[in-house]
């Protein structure tokens, strides 16, 4: 595209850096921002700066939070401190909370072990998890990483790492998703669903 | 999604306002911005503010440009001042320039007449076009709005409006796109391609 404005090119470049946004989409988004009233464009820029300034990791569970001290979940007296659910990302906490079933605490790894992407155990919040578990309050650690190769490997690695602390380490159940059809379930899921069958 | 951070919610909301970005994508983009180094997040916010500050409409053709005075195309002595190509959006100028065929000037309407969206002639840069044409230098006005209902209607409206000034008003040719297959062309396009057939 002929560059007729360095400021526009710079904005397109910024949008194109976002995950899943190609050059065409980035151009469309940049033109949209240009068409916004001055005030709304400033709000957009400010929201980015505010989020970066205010949001940090909870010192206990490493989930994203605002303000000083532990996050609302860690600070809540109604949550069960003896159970910790280990997830890869902050958005997984949001997904678990949506179910309104889980009453324990969380631990956010901020990624999974991935040799392909040069992410090793030291790049994740694993040291913080070991420290929490070594404290003695935690009785059960539920592995809730994604059921893919890297998520599995990370869960396996952590379960071995936590064994010396004599905590129960569990894994979310595999099986047929609720509301789906058997015929569309893949072989691996069906096999896991069979393995995990329960008496009714 | 349970709101655990107002600053994060605000950022998600800003991304979700962008065209074609749903709530799920907005969350993904917001988490991505949070994971950026402070410096890169500031560059993103600054690119938005810079673009809004530096980019404005060329006083002649209404295309987006930076700096004072007319845009580089309007200011170029090598462009043919007697021909003006009318397009709906700045990105259409970029598309025309990519073809490297057109040597005239442009006029950007910043939209098309669309009663459904409450956009009338007064909401577009039509007054500016009439002023340019009434100046006497312009000999031909090429309508290059999109070949859809609103683009057509806008082109028809403008051609009637410009008639009193005795300029030639033309329309981009319709036909089979280069490199496509006849069998995939729709009826309307084929009809227009037949109508516009030329001796070889």
């Amino acid at each position: 595209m002929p560059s007729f404005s360095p400021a526009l090119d710079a904005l397109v470049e910024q949008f194109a850096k976002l995950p899943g946004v190609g050059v065409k989409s980035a151009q469309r988004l940049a033109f949209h921002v240009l068409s916004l009233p001055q005030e709304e464009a400033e709000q957009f820029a400010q929201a980015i700066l505010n989020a970066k300034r205010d949001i940090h990791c909870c010192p206990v569970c490493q989930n994203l939070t605002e303000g000083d001290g532990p996050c609302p979940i860690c600070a809540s007296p109604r949550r069960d401190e003896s159970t910790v659910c280990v997830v890869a990302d902050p958005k997984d906490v949001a997904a678990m909370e949506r179910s309104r079933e889980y009453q324990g605490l969380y631990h956010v790894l901020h990624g999974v072990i991935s040799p392909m992407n040069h992410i090793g155990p030291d790049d994740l919040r694993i040291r913080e998890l070991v420290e929490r578990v070594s404290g003695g309050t935690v009785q059960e650690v539920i592995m809730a990483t994604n059921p893919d190769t890297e998520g599995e490997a990370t869960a396996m690695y952590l379960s071995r790492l936590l064994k010396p602390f004599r905590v129960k380490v569990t894994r979310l159940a595999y099986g047929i998703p609720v509301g789906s059809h058997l015929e569309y379930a893949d072989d691996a899921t069906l096999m896991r669903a069979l393995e995990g069958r329960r008496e009714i």
Side-chain angles (χ1 to χ4, degrees), chain A:
Chain A
M1 175 175 162
S3 159
F4 56 88
S5 160
L8 183 64
D9 292 349
L11 186 58
V12 170
E13 198 186 302
Q14 288 294 334
F15 274 117
K17 276 190 204 167
L18 296 174
V21 179
V23 174
K24 276 271 172 195
S25 301
Q27 279 174 14
R28 200 164 38 91
L29 297 177
F31 278 121
H32 174 81
V33 167
L34 281 179
S35 73
L36 291 177
Q38 181 68 28
E39 196 190 325
E40 286 185 34
E42 279 168 17
Q43 279 168 1
F44 191 178
Q46 201 56 53
I48 293 171
L49 298 174
N50 288 351
K52 279 303 283 184
R53 187 193 59 207
D54 296 346
I55 300 174
H56 53 90
C57 289
C58 166
V60 181
C61 73
Q62 311 297 325
N63 192 12
L64 299 175
T65 186
E66 289 181 36
D68 294 328
C71 72
I73 293 176
C74 287
S76 167
R78 277 182 296 183
R79 308 290 298 218
D80 172 14
E81 285 192 357
S82 68
T83 315
V84 169
C85 177
V86 176
V87 295
D89 287 307
K91 53 179 172 282
D92 299 329
V93 173
M96 288 290 288
E97 287 295 286
R98 264 199 301 272
S99 78
R100 290 161 198 239
E101 183 64 39
Y102 182 65
Q103 294 302 323
L105 303 180
Y106 293 95
H107 192 88
V108 181
L109 298 173
H110 290 271
V112 284
I113 298 170
S114 169
M116 294 268 283
N117 300 311
H118 307 286
I119 299 172
D122 293 341
D123 301 313
L124 307 174
R125 308 295 166 94
I126 289 178
R127 199 170 43 81
E128 291 85 349
L129 176 64
V130 173
E131 262 170 39
R132 280 179 85 179
V133 171
S134 70
T137 319
V138 180
Q139 312 266 306
E140 180 176 356
V141 177
I142 304 171
M143 294 296 161
T145 48
N146 284 324
D148 53 20
T149 321
E150 292 176 346
E152 287 295 336
T154 306
M156 286 306 294
Y157 174 87
L158 290 178
S159 68
R160 248 171 285 167
L161 201 66
L162 297 176
K163 202 152 246 174
F165 301 102
R166 294 164 187 274
V167 289
K168 196 160 111 189
V169 179
T170 56
R171 184 88 178 90
L172 284 189
Y174 293 103
I176 319 290
V178 177
S180 73
H181 292 265
L182 259 195
E183 57 178 323
Y184 299 125
D186 60 293
D187 296 356
T189 302
L190 267 183
M191 200 185 70
R192 299 295 198 122
L194 254 178
E195 276 174 16
R197 68 190 183 276
R198 298 170 68 172
E199 217 168 320
I200 50 172

